Amino acid sequence: MAETTVAAPTRREPIRFSKPSILGLGTIVWLGSELMFFSGLFAAYFTIRAHDGSPWPPAGTHLDTLQAGIFTAILVMSSVTMQKAVFEAEHDRPRSAMWWIVLTFVMGGSFIANQAVEWSTLKFGPQTNAYGSLFYVMSGVHGLHVILGLVAMLFLLFRLKGIKGGSRHLPGLQALSYYWHFVDIVWVALYACLFLVH
Amino acid sequence: MSKYKFREQRGLQSIGGVHKVTKSAGPLGGVLAAGLVLSACNLPSFGAFKGNTVQGNSTFHLFQGFFVASIFVGGITFILLALAIIRFRRKGESIIPKQIHGNTKLEVFYTIVPVLIVAVLYFFTVRVENKVDTVARNPNLRVDVTGFQWGWKFFYPKYGVTTITKGVDLYPTLELPVGETATFRLVSNDVVHGFYMPEFDFSRYALPGVTNYFDFTPQHTANFIGRCSQFCGLYHADMLFYVHVVSPSQFQSWIHAHQGA
Amino acid sequence: MTILQEPQVATGSVLHEQKAPGGFYKWITSVDHKVIGKNYMYTALAFMFIAGAMALLIRTQLFNPNGHVVSLQTYNELFTIHGSMMLYLFAGPFAFGGFANFIVPLQIGAPDMAFPRLNNLSYWLFLLGGVTMLFGFFTASGAAAFGWVAYAPLSTAPYSPGPGPDLWIVSIAMVGFSGIFTAVNLVTTIFYLRAPGMTMFRMPLFSWSMLVTGVLILIAFPVLTAALVLLYADRHFGAHFFSVAGGGVPVMWQNLFWFFGHPEVYILALPFFGIVSELIPVFSKKPIFGYKGMVFATLAIAGLSTGVWAHHMFTTGTVLLPFFSAMSLLIAVPTGIKVFTWIATMWGGQIKFNTSMLFAVGFIFAFVMGGITGVMLASPPIDFYTHDTYFVVAHFHQVLIATTVFAGFAGIYYWYPKLTGRFMHEGLGKWNFWVTFIGFWFTFMPQYLLGLRGMPRRIAIYSPTDGFTFLNRMSTVGAYMMGIGMFLFLLNFIVSWRRPRPAGDNPWDGFTLEWATSSPPPAHNFHSLPPIRSARPTWDMNHPEHADAVPVVTGGDESAE
Ligand code: HEA
Ligand code: HEA
Ligand code: CUA
Ligand SMILES: [Cu+2]
């Protein structure tokens, strides 16, 4: 079976076209449930928006759409760097993969830092109105996901460090990359709903 | 409006339309529809209230129809099951029976038949549902009902009369004239309540943020207890009210007595 | 994480060598699916007895009008925790954590679950969640008291203050995560670790049921988690999701909850359908009648069940009645296929009526009854009449007890020899069945009538003039009878453990792979596997003259679905 290729660390051929590892498959299944979780939140968003006759977001809601947009772009770019890390690892270049992960980590970290700044400067809170509740809960829950991804990256970095033949950790890296892409895509939808829709 | 008129013309013979339907609904539907028609005439009530309104009465007949269909479906299933376990009980030494893996024709049969039964049930459901849900444009009477923890407020806007729960065991009265169509407007101040009229075969939620409308056309004079059906906190069990269906003249004098108060 | 490489089953190879420290420590740290499965079963059954004891308290209170056994507040806490505990902590974990964990890897010829340590985590989340829920009773303001459905705004801070409701929320979230993790684990196991030759359409129906249940869990539970997050935000961060004043929408809770809640009831039912689909053929000595039809019926039930949630909300006046009514009525069709398939399987067979089979047949009777009243409820006008009355209580207890208790016990009597290598006591078993079964009808048939006569659910007191007294008393007597029946089960479980009656490896002449290994199975499940050429490999091996499959050479690649 295709899986045996993973177990053969000396292979130089890229092995990215192989059937996902068992960890990868488990992650994909798990992401299915994550998708449903965010669908629940989006359902709440659209329900409340549909019931809200007044302008949306409510008058007096000031958002820095541009700044958030820049960090959205950074987060999306971090998906690219993450994928690059996977490619490097698939070609059995763990050192290089490590640096790409570090870059991804920095980009993701800056996104979270921006979110922290944003939360502390915004003039409304979750108790202001239903929009505020949606804003904080949705972006907050997403932020938690980003932080979880960052923690996972740290773990992977420690594991990759100093190991020759890092493809032993390839399944873990691939799984993390699925997760990271998912978190990024969700943010794009969240950004559109929370910042752009009027 | 026209829908409502139509219903009024047919008056109390709420099941009258069923006969027309039987012709088009197919043979199997015919059997079931026959059951439904029969139910309109002389079937027992199966423990249910007869639904003391034009609307509730058609619900009652629908219930009877469903009940007959259930006896039919459940009966056949139970008989088959009983036959299987009686006839094919292992007796004495175990032999290996013929290994049958299925029979496509039979499988299709027991898929199609339930589909047909369900289709018929659905047809009558939608008919009765439309009837029960119709709201008159020009009702004889309007009643605004508000549910709150833990009581009810009934307000008759045309007469400026209000009755309201005044404390534990001090239930309000909902007075209704027989034969007249009343439109109800239902809201809640706090949590979800269930405005439940057992003998009208009807309930509807009182929801915060939602206004619900529905009609009652009571058929006979009656006294009974109305209730809150949706759990709403500590005294949910005690959220009762009296319902009096009285003659129009009694209703008028009740109104007058309360206008003074 | 233990990364498994290949399904190396046939060789009985070692995946995670289990050092056996012995005793309690081994018990709680084990990552063996069989140990975890048993832990799940025992824990879930314990919760069932606790919740059952609450049910007896409920019934005792209702024995007399204006009962004074418990206070109003306590009553409200009791039915909330009774319902929550039965559904979240007994029914689901019993089937999906217990049976699935123990049986599925054996049935598909896998050495263990895909992620053994995650499996262990699931169990601990479940147990902790359960304890958290019970803790509510020990807080000053008492446990949650808003029903297992926790309708907002009643469940928000102004109407349900205090830590009890928070504990409930946290507990459900933990149990939800536990279920999701198990589902991830099981679905991955089934996709990845099937033995060579075990194609999807040779997989036993029990495993199929568990696969579909797993998918339903992945669809439904996360939505509940989302709803709980919103509720928690309302309670603690002053959010306005469910308060009209702040622009929130209270009915939104009901939509989110029932989007989870309805699939949940099939999450509870499907595994037990799977159990019955296993043991009816075995005790009739015939293959299941129409295997593929059963698979598609299972899939159809799962598919439909995601589109019927608003039949719990007919009386809100805010949902599309015709659509949800049609979908709900349609579910009768695939469910009917199952019932008729079971009957057709018995037809022409050699039915052996031991306790297990008795429970299975009892299940069908009870389930058809409850299912048919479900069809009545699916008609909106009838639901307007019966919604939130004891008619509904009777409906769901009949289907729930049919599945989780009757089919569940059938499963225990069936697999107990596999779990322990011993039989359960047959004589006691029959007493267990008859007392429980008769008590069951006594308890719930009067409740239908009570519902039709206007008794709402979740009321602690009624008036002597309501005319509810006699029927309630009958129901209470029935409940006590059920209690005795349940006690007999407990007794049987203990007696069978203290006085072993050795069963051998394959006492029922079973069909599926779990009967091809020893009882109890070795740490890595199989020393060798029979060839898998049909849905009944063990039968094929033991009855070559009646085998389903002509022995042809099959490539391992067939195992890809
Ligand atoms: C194991 C759990 C389980 C199962 C399997 C079912 C099965 C069904 N349920 Fe039930 N239900 C619950 C658990 C379950 N339910 C619970 C817990 C509640 C209450 C929640 C609460 O409010 O607390 C509830 C409430 C509930 C309601 C809301 C009632 C109300 O609150 O007012 C409705 C309404 O449509 C409903 C319908 C159905 C239907 C149509 C089925 C169908 O799937 C049944 C199908 C089965 C059959 C029909 C029998 C076998 C079939 C045949 C023999 C074939 C031929 C039959 C025909 C053609 C009719 N259920
Ligand atoms: C699988 C689910 C399940 C099961 C098995 C049961 C089992 C039982 N249920 Fe329950 N029930 C629910 C799920 C379930 N219930 C739900 C979801 C609700 C709705 C909650 C809500 O409204 O929110 C509900 C509500 C409910 C009510 C309605 C309360 C109300 O609305 O006011 C009633 C009333 O009669 C009731 C009774 C019973 C009885 C008598 C049993 C019997 O079958 C129980 C039999 C078991 C035993 C009797 C245990 C035996 C005990 C011993 C032998 C003693 C040992 C003692 C210790 C170990 C301490 N249940
Ligand atoms: Cu109001 Cu219950
Ligand atoms: Cu449902």
mmCIF file with all atom_site columns, all heavy atoms in Angstrom, chain B residues 47 49 88 90 99 101 203 205 230, chain C residues 290 315 351 384-385 387-388 453 536:
data_model
loop_
_atom_site.group_PDB
_atom_site.id
_atom_site.type_symbol
_atom_site.label_atom_id
_atom_site.label_alt_id
_atom_site.label_comp_id
_atom_site.label_asym_id
_atom_site.label_entity_id
_atom_site.label_seq_id
_atom_site.pdbx_PDB_ins_code
_atom_site.Cartn_x
_atom_site.Cartn_y
_atom_site.Cartn_z
_atom_site.occupancy
_atom_site.B_iso_or_equiv
_atom_site.pdbx_formal_charge
_atom_site.auth_seq_id
_atom_site.auth_comp_id
_atom_site.auth_asym_id
_atom_site.auth_atom_id
_atom_site.pdbx_PDB_model_num
ATOM 1   N N   . GLY B 1 47  ? -59.488 7.959   23.136 1.00 0.00 ? 47  GLY B N   1
ATOM 2   C CA  . GLY B 1 47  ? -58.938 8.670   24.292 1.00 0.00 ? 47  GLY B CA  1
ATOM 3   C C   . GLY B 1 47  ? -58.697 10.138  24.073 1.00 0.00 ? 47  GLY B C   1
ATOM 4   O O   . GLY B 1 47  ? -58.314 10.847  24.987 1.00 0.00 ? 47  GLY B O   1
ATOM 5   N N   . PHE B 1 49  ? -59.544 14.193  23.053 1.00 0.00 ? 49  PHE B N   1
ATOM 6   C CA  . PHE B 1 49  ? -60.620 15.175  23.085 1.00 0.00 ? 49  PHE B CA  1
ATOM 7   C C   . PHE B 1 49  ? -61.152 15.387  21.671 1.00 0.00 ? 49  PHE B C   1
ATOM 8   O O   . PHE B 1 49  ? -60.392 15.328  20.708 1.00 0.00 ? 49  PHE B O   1
ATOM 9   C CB  . PHE B 1 49  ? -60.109 16.505  23.634 1.00 0.00 ? 49  PHE B CB  1
ATOM 10  C CG  . PHE B 1 49  ? -59.830 16.474  25.103 1.00 0.00 ? 49  PHE B CG  1
ATOM 11  C CD1 . PHE B 1 49  ? -58.548 16.684  25.582 1.00 0.00 ? 49  PHE B CD1 1
ATOM 12  C CD2 . PHE B 1 49  ? -60.860 16.236  26.002 1.00 0.00 ? 49  PHE B CD2 1
ATOM 13  C CE1 . PHE B 1 49  ? -58.284 16.649  26.942 1.00 0.00 ? 49  PHE B CE1 1
ATOM 14  C CE2 . PHE B 1 49  ? -60.601 16.208  27.359 1.00 0.00 ? 49  PHE B CE2 1
ATOM 15  C CZ  . PHE B 1 49  ? -59.319 16.413  27.833 1.00 0.00 ? 49  PHE B CZ  1
ATOM 16  N N   . PHE B 1 88  ? -41.340 -20.251 13.501 1.00 0.00 ? 88  PHE B N   1
ATOM 17  C CA  . PHE B 1 88  ? -39.957 -20.626 13.197 1.00 0.00 ? 88  PHE B CA  1
ATOM 18  C C   . PHE B 1 88  ? -39.085 -20.750 14.432 1.00 0.00 ? 88  PHE B C   1
ATOM 19  O O   . PHE B 1 88  ? -37.879 -20.616 14.392 1.00 0.00 ? 88  PHE B O   1
ATOM 20  C CB  . PHE B 1 88  ? -39.362 -19.642 12.184 1.00 0.00 ? 88  PHE B CB  1
ATOM 21  C CG  . PHE B 1 88  ? -40.148 -19.621 10.921 1.00 0.00 ? 88  PHE B CG  1
ATOM 22  C CD1 . PHE B 1 88  ? -40.997 -18.559 10.630 1.00 0.00 ? 88  PHE B CD1 1
ATOM 23  C CD2 . PHE B 1 88  ? -40.083 -20.680 10.029 1.00 0.00 ? 88  PHE B CD2 1
ATOM 24  C CE1 . PHE B 1 88  ? -41.742 -18.553 9.474  1.00 0.00 ? 88  PHE B CE1 1
ATOM 25  C CE2 . PHE B 1 88  ? -40.829 -20.677 8.863  1.00 0.00 ? 88  PHE B CE2 1
ATOM 26  C CZ  . PHE B 1 88  ? -41.666 -19.611 8.586  1.00 0.00 ? 88  PHE B CZ  1
ATOM 27  N N   . ARG B 1 90  ? -37.006 -22.585 17.112 1.00 0.00 ? 90  ARG B N   1
ATOM 28  C CA  . ARG B 1 90  ? -36.181 -23.787 16.958 1.00 0.00 ? 90  ARG B CA  1
ATOM 29  C C   . ARG B 1 90  ? -36.714 -24.883 17.863 1.00 0.00 ? 90  ARG B C   1
ATOM 30  O O   . ARG B 1 90  ? -36.864 -24.705 19.059 1.00 0.00 ? 90  ARG B O   1
ATOM 31  C CB  . ARG B 1 90  ? -34.731 -23.469 17.313 1.00 0.00 ? 90  ARG B CB  1
ATOM 32  C CG  . ARG B 1 90  ? -33.765 -24.556 16.900 1.00 0.00 ? 90  ARG B CG  1
ATOM 33  C CD  . ARG B 1 90  ? -32.343 -24.160 17.221 1.00 0.00 ? 90  ARG B CD  1
ATOM 34  N NE  . ARG B 1 90  ? -31.953 -22.911 16.586 1.00 0.00 ? 90  ARG B NE  1
ATOM 35  C CZ  . ARG B 1 90  ? -30.777 -22.313 16.799 1.00 0.00 ? 90  ARG B CZ  1
ATOM 36  N NH1 . ARG B 1 90  ? -29.908 -22.845 17.634 1.00 0.00 ? 90  ARG B NH1 1
ATOM 37  N NH2 . ARG B 1 90  ? -30.472 -21.190 16.194 1.00 0.00 ? 90  ARG B NH2 1
ATOM 38  N N   . GLN B 1 99  ? -30.375 -20.870 3.297  1.00 0.00 ? 99  GLN B N   1
ATOM 39  C CA  . GLN B 1 99  ? -29.699 -19.586 3.471  1.00 0.00 ? 99  GLN B CA  1
ATOM 40  C C   . GLN B 1 99  ? -30.182 -18.600 2.409  1.00 0.00 ? 99  GLN B C   1
ATOM 41  O O   . GLN B 1 99  ? -29.655 -18.539 1.304  1.00 0.00 ? 99  GLN B O   1
ATOM 42  C CB  . GLN B 1 99  ? -28.187 -19.790 3.392  1.00 0.00 ? 99  GLN B CB  1
ATOM 43  C CG  . GLN B 1 99  ? -27.652 -20.748 4.439  1.00 0.00 ? 99  GLN B CG  1
ATOM 44  C CD  . GLN B 1 99  ? -27.809 -20.217 5.851  1.00 0.00 ? 99  GLN B CD  1
ATOM 45  O OE1 . GLN B 1 99  ? -27.242 -19.200 6.187  1.00 0.00 ? 99  GLN B OE1 1
ATOM 46  N NE2 . GLN B 1 99  ? -28.595 -20.899 6.668  1.00 0.00 ? 99  GLN B NE2 1
ATOM 47  N N   . HIS B 1 101 ? -30.629 -14.867 1.038  1.00 0.00 ? 101 HIS B N   1
ATOM 48  C CA  . HIS B 1 101 ? -29.957 -13.581 1.242  1.00 0.00 ? 101 HIS B CA  1
ATOM 49  C C   . HIS B 1 101 ? -30.829 -12.386 0.931  1.00 0.00 ? 101 HIS B C   1
ATOM 50  O O   . HIS B 1 101 ? -30.379 -11.245 1.051  1.00 0.00 ? 101 HIS B O   1
ATOM 51  C CB  . HIS B 1 101 ? -28.688 -13.506 0.390  1.00 0.00 ? 101 HIS B CB  1
ATOM 52  C CG  . HIS B 1 101 ? -27.600 -14.388 0.919  1.00 0.00 ? 101 HIS B CG  1
ATOM 53  N ND1 . HIS B 1 101 ? -26.607 -13.907 1.729  1.00 0.00 ? 101 HIS B ND1 1
ATOM 54  C CD2 . HIS B 1 101 ? -27.381 -15.704 0.793  1.00 0.00 ? 101 HIS B CD2 1
ATOM 55  C CE1 . HIS B 1 101 ? -25.804 -14.908 2.063  1.00 0.00 ? 101 HIS B CE1 1
ATOM 56  N NE2 . HIS B 1 101 ? -26.248 -16.018 1.509  1.00 0.00 ? 101 HIS B NE2 1
ATOM 57  N N   . SER B 1 203 ? -52.171 23.732  20.816 1.00 0.00 ? 203 SER B N   1
ATOM 58  C CA  . SER B 1 203 ? -51.259 24.526  21.633 1.00 0.00 ? 203 SER B CA  1
ATOM 59  C C   . SER B 1 203 ? -50.364 25.329  20.702 1.00 0.00 ? 203 SER B C   1
ATOM 60  O O   . SER B 1 203 ? -50.166 24.978  19.535 1.00 0.00 ? 203 SER B O   1
ATOM 61  C CB  . SER B 1 203 ? -50.399 23.643  22.534 1.00 0.00 ? 203 SER B CB  1
ATOM 62  O OG  . SER B 1 203 ? -49.452 22.938  21.769 1.00 0.00 ? 203 SER B OG  1
ATOM 63  N N   . TYR B 1 205 ? -46.695 28.041  21.032 1.00 0.00 ? 205 TYR B N   1
ATOM 64  C CA  . TYR B 1 205 ? -45.727 28.689  21.933 1.00 0.00 ? 205 TYR B CA  1
ATOM 65  C C   . TYR B 1 205 ? -45.997 30.183  22.039 1.00 0.00 ? 205 TYR B C   1
ATOM 66  O O   . TYR B 1 205 ? -46.301 30.835  21.043 1.00 0.00 ? 205 TYR B O   1
ATOM 67  C CB  . TYR B 1 205 ? -44.302 28.536  21.401 1.00 0.00 ? 205 TYR B CB  1
ATOM 68  C CG  . TYR B 1 205 ? -43.634 27.228  21.718 1.00 0.00 ? 205 TYR B CG  1
ATOM 69  C CD1 . TYR B 1 205 ? -42.357 26.969  21.250 1.00 0.00 ? 205 TYR B CD1 1
ATOM 70  C CD2 . TYR B 1 205 ? -44.256 26.249  22.464 1.00 0.00 ? 205 TYR B CD2 1
ATOM 71  C CE1 . TYR B 1 205 ? -41.724 25.772  21.513 1.00 0.00 ? 205 TYR B CE1 1
ATOM 72  C CE2 . TYR B 1 205 ? -43.625 25.056  22.738 1.00 0.00 ? 205 TYR B CE2 1
ATOM 73  C CZ  . TYR B 1 205 ? -42.368 24.821  22.256 1.00 0.00 ? 205 TYR B CZ  1
ATOM 74  O OH  . TYR B 1 205 ? -41.728 23.634  22.512 1.00 0.00 ? 205 TYR B OH  1
ATOM 75  N N   . GLN B 1 230 ? -45.151 24.411  27.871 1.00 0.00 ? 230 GLN B N   1
ATOM 76  C CA  . GLN B 1 230 ? -43.689 24.448  27.718 1.00 0.00 ? 230 GLN B CA  1
ATOM 77  C C   . GLN B 1 230 ? -43.050 24.834  29.039 1.00 0.00 ? 230 GLN B C   1
ATOM 78  O O   . GLN B 1 230 ? -43.408 25.857  29.625 1.00 0.00 ? 230 GLN B O   1
ATOM 79  C CB  . GLN B 1 230 ? -43.289 25.431  26.616 1.00 0.00 ? 230 GLN B CB  1
ATOM 80  C CG  . GLN B 1 230 ? -41.791 25.642  26.482 1.00 0.00 ? 230 GLN B CG  1
ATOM 81  C CD  . GLN B 1 230 ? -41.033 24.362  26.226 1.00 0.00 ? 230 GLN B CD  1
ATOM 82  O OE1 . GLN B 1 230 ? -41.446 23.500  25.470 1.00 0.00 ? 230 GLN B OE1 1
ATOM 83  N NE2 . GLN B 1 230 ? -39.892 24.202  26.893 1.00 0.00 ? 230 GLN B NE2 1
ATOM 84  N N   . GLY C 2 290 ? -31.437 -9.172  2.776  1.00 0.00 ? 290 GLY C N   1
ATOM 85  C CA  . GLY C 2 290 ? -31.267 -7.901  2.075  1.00 0.00 ? 290 GLY C CA  1
ATOM 86  C C   . GLY C 2 290 ? -30.252 -7.015  2.760  1.00 0.00 ? 290 GLY C C   1
ATOM 87  O O   . GLY C 2 290 ? -30.570 -5.962  3.307  1.00 0.00 ? 290 GLY C O   1
ATOM 88  N N   . THR C 2 315 ? -44.908 23.913  17.060 1.00 0.00 ? 315 THR C N   1
ATOM 89  C CA  . THR C 2 315 ? -45.785 24.880  17.722 1.00 0.00 ? 315 THR C CA  1
ATOM 90  C C   . THR C 2 315 ? -45.122 26.233  17.949 1.00 0.00 ? 315 THR C C   1
ATOM 91  O O   . THR C 2 315 ? -45.693 27.090  18.599 1.00 0.00 ? 315 THR C O   1
ATOM 92  C CB  . THR C 2 315 ? -46.267 24.344  19.086 1.00 0.00 ? 315 THR C CB  1
ATOM 93  O OG1 . THR C 2 315 ? -45.135 24.191  19.929 1.00 0.00 ? 315 THR C OG1 1
ATOM 94  C CG2 . THR C 2 315 ? -46.986 23.034  18.944 1.00 0.00 ? 315 THR C CG2 1
ATOM 95  N N   . ILE C 2 351 ? -35.225 -20.226 14.913 1.00 0.00 ? 351 ILE C N   1
ATOM 96  C CA  . ILE C 2 351 ? -35.002 -19.186 15.912 1.00 0.00 ? 351 ILE C CA  1
ATOM 97  C C   . ILE C 2 351 ? -34.753 -19.783 17.285 1.00 0.00 ? 351 ILE C C   1
ATOM 98  O O   . ILE C 2 351 ? -35.561 -20.567 17.796 1.00 0.00 ? 351 ILE C O   1
ATOM 99  C CB  . ILE C 2 351 ? -36.212 -18.235 15.999 1.00 0.00 ? 351 ILE C CB  1
ATOM 100 C CG1 . ILE C 2 351 ? -36.539 -17.691 14.606 1.00 0.00 ? 351 ILE C CG1 1
ATOM 101 C CG2 . ILE C 2 351 ? -35.916 -17.101 16.949 1.00 0.00 ? 351 ILE C CG2 1
ATOM 102 C CD1 . ILE C 2 351 ? -37.812 -16.909 14.553 1.00 0.00 ? 351 ILE C CD1 1
ATOM 103 N N   . PHE C 2 384 ? -49.714 19.847  17.365 1.00 0.00 ? 384 PHE C N   1
ATOM 104 C CA  . PHE C 2 384 ? -50.256 21.003  18.099 1.00 0.00 ? 384 PHE C CA  1
ATOM 105 C C   . PHE C 2 384 ? -51.018 20.520  19.331 1.00 0.00 ? 384 PHE C C   1
ATOM 106 O O   . PHE C 2 384 ? -50.982 21.131  20.386 1.00 0.00 ? 384 PHE C O   1
ATOM 107 C CB  . PHE C 2 384 ? -51.230 21.810  17.228 1.00 0.00 ? 384 PHE C CB  1
ATOM 108 C CG  . PHE C 2 384 ? -50.603 22.501  16.058 1.00 0.00 ? 384 PHE C CG  1
ATOM 109 C CD1 . PHE C 2 384 ? -51.390 22.988  15.026 1.00 0.00 ? 384 PHE C CD1 1
ATOM 110 C CD2 . PHE C 2 384 ? -49.239 22.680  15.981 1.00 0.00 ? 384 PHE C CD2 1
ATOM 111 C CE1 . PHE C 2 384 ? -50.831 23.629  13.952 1.00 0.00 ? 384 PHE C CE1 1
ATOM 112 C CE2 . PHE C 2 384 ? -48.659 23.326  14.902 1.00 0.00 ? 384 PHE C CE2 1
ATOM 113 C CZ  . PHE C 2 384 ? -49.462 23.795  13.876 1.00 0.00 ? 384 PHE C CZ  1
ATOM 114 N N   . TYR C 2 385 ? -51.713 19.426  19.130 1.00 0.00 ? 385 TYR C N   1
ATOM 115 C CA  . TYR C 2 385 ? -52.537 18.880  20.208 1.00 0.00 ? 385 TYR C CA  1
ATOM 116 C C   . TYR C 2 385 ? -51.684 18.197  21.276 1.00 0.00 ? 385 TYR C C   1
ATOM 117 O O   . TYR C 2 385 ? -51.923 18.354  22.473 1.00 0.00 ? 385 TYR C O   1
ATOM 118 C CB  . TYR C 2 385 ? -53.538 17.911  19.583 1.00 0.00 ? 385 TYR C CB  1
ATOM 119 C CG  . TYR C 2 385 ? -54.377 17.081  20.535 1.00 0.00 ? 385 TYR C CG  1
ATOM 120 C CD1 . TYR C 2 385 ? -54.682 17.509  21.817 1.00 0.00 ? 385 TYR C CD1 1
ATOM 121 C CD2 . TYR C 2 385 ? -54.887 15.862  20.110 1.00 0.00 ? 385 TYR C CD2 1
ATOM 122 C CE1 . TYR C 2 385 ? -55.459 16.743  22.665 1.00 0.00 ? 385 TYR C CE1 1
ATOM 123 C CE2 . TYR C 2 385 ? -55.677 15.087  20.946 1.00 0.00 ? 385 TYR C CE2 1
ATOM 124 C CZ  . TYR C 2 385 ? -55.943 15.531  22.229 1.00 0.00 ? 385 TYR C CZ  1
ATOM 125 O OH  . TYR C 2 385 ? -56.706 14.763  23.058 1.00 0.00 ? 385 TYR C OH  1
ATOM 126 N N   . HIS C 2 387 ? -48.176 18.217  21.619 1.00 0.00 ? 387 HIS C N   1
ATOM 127 C CA  . HIS C 2 387 ? -46.837 18.704  21.923 1.00 0.00 ? 387 HIS C CA  1
ATOM 128 C C   . HIS C 2 387 ? -46.685 19.013  23.409 1.00 0.00 ? 387 HIS C C   1
ATOM 129 O O   . HIS C 2 387 ? -47.572 19.586  24.023 1.00 0.00 ? 387 HIS C O   1
ATOM 130 C CB  . HIS C 2 387 ? -46.531 19.958  21.120 1.00 0.00 ? 387 HIS C CB  1
ATOM 131 C CG  . HIS C 2 387 ? -45.186 20.536  21.442 1.00 0.00 ? 387 HIS C CG  1
ATOM 132 N ND1 . HIS C 2 387 ? -44.025 19.870  21.118 1.00 0.00 ? 387 HIS C ND1 1
ATOM 133 C CD2 . HIS C 2 387 ? -44.812 21.653  22.069 1.00 0.00 ? 387 HIS C CD2 1
ATOM 134 C CE1 . HIS C 2 387 ? -43.001 20.586  21.547 1.00 0.00 ? 387 HIS C CE1 1
ATOM 135 N NE2 . HIS C 2 387 ? -43.445 21.678  22.126 1.00 0.00 ? 387 HIS C NE2 1
ATOM 136 N N   . ASP C 2 388 ? -45.514 18.628  23.947 1.00 0.00 ? 388 ASP C N   1
ATOM 137 C CA  . ASP C 2 388 ? -45.210 18.904  25.348 1.00 0.00 ? 388 ASP C CA  1
ATOM 138 C C   . ASP C 2 388 ? -46.229 18.307  26.304 1.00 0.00 ? 388 ASP C C   1
ATOM 139 O O   . ASP C 2 388 ? -46.453 18.832  27.396 1.00 0.00 ? 388 ASP C O   1
ATOM 140 C CB  . ASP C 2 388 ? -45.073 20.410  25.606 1.00 0.00 ? 388 ASP C CB  1
ATOM 141 C CG  . ASP C 2 388 ? -43.635 20.868  25.409 1.00 0.00 ? 388 ASP C CG  1
ATOM 142 O OD1 . ASP C 2 388 ? -42.734 20.021  25.576 1.00 0.00 ? 388 ASP C OD1 1
ATOM 143 O OD2 . ASP C 2 388 ? -43.416 22.042  25.096 1.00 0.00 ? 388 ASP C OD2 1
ATOM 144 N N   . ARG C 2 453 ? -55.343 13.241  27.424 1.00 0.00 ? 453 ARG C N   1
ATOM 145 C CA  . ARG C 2 453 ? -56.285 13.868  28.357 1.00 0.00 ? 453 ARG C CA  1
ATOM 146 C C   . ARG C 2 453 ? -55.761 15.194  28.874 1.00 0.00 ? 453 ARG C C   1
ATOM 147 O O   . ARG C 2 453 ? -56.350 15.791  29.775 1.00 0.00 ? 453 ARG C O   1
ATOM 148 C CB  . ARG C 2 453 ? -56.585 12.957  29.562 1.00 0.00 ? 453 ARG C CB  1
ATOM 149 C CG  . ARG C 2 453 ? -57.124 11.586  29.257 1.00 0.00 ? 453 ARG C CG  1
ATOM 150 C CD  . ARG C 2 453 ? -58.173 11.535  28.206 1.00 0.00 ? 453 ARG C CD  1
ATOM 151 N NE  . ARG C 2 453 ? -59.482 12.099  28.618 1.00 0.00 ? 453 ARG C NE  1
ATOM 152 C CZ  . ARG C 2 453 ? -60.508 12.290  27.776 1.00 0.00 ? 453 ARG C CZ  1
ATOM 153 N NH1 . ARG C 2 453 ? -60.373 12.014  26.499 1.00 0.00 ? 453 ARG C NH1 1
ATOM 154 N NH2 . ARG C 2 453 ? -61.632 12.783  28.213 1.00 0.00 ? 453 ARG C NH2 1
ATOM 155 N N   . ARG C 2 536 ? -19.919 -12.875 6.108  1.00 0.00 ? 536 ARG C N   1
ATOM 156 C CA  . ARG C 2 536 ? -19.984 -13.804 7.240  1.00 0.00 ? 536 ARG C CA  1
ATOM 157 C C   . ARG C 2 536 ? -18.756 -14.712 7.292  1.00 0.00 ? 536 ARG C C   1
ATOM 158 O O   . ARG C 2 536 ? -18.874 -15.946 7.172  1.00 0.00 ? 536 ARG C O   1
ATOM 159 C CB  . ARG C 2 536 ? -21.228 -14.676 7.120  1.00 0.00 ? 536 ARG C CB  1
ATOM 160 C CG  . ARG C 2 536 ? -22.539 -13.891 7.139  1.00 0.00 ? 536 ARG C CG  1
ATOM 161 C CD  . ARG C 2 536 ? -23.704 -14.792 7.437  1.00 0.00 ? 536 ARG C CD  1
ATOM 162 N NE  . ARG C 2 536 ? -23.998 -15.737 6.371  1.00 0.00 ? 536 ARG C NE  1
ATOM 163 C CZ  . ARG C 2 536 ? -24.844 -16.757 6.498  1.00 0.00 ? 536 ARG C CZ  1
ATOM 164 N NH1 . ARG C 2 536 ? -25.466 -16.960 7.660  1.00 0.00 ? 536 ARG C NH1 1
ATOM 165 N NH2 . ARG C 2 536 ? -25.083 -17.566 5.492  1.00 0.00 ? 536 ARG C NH2 1
#
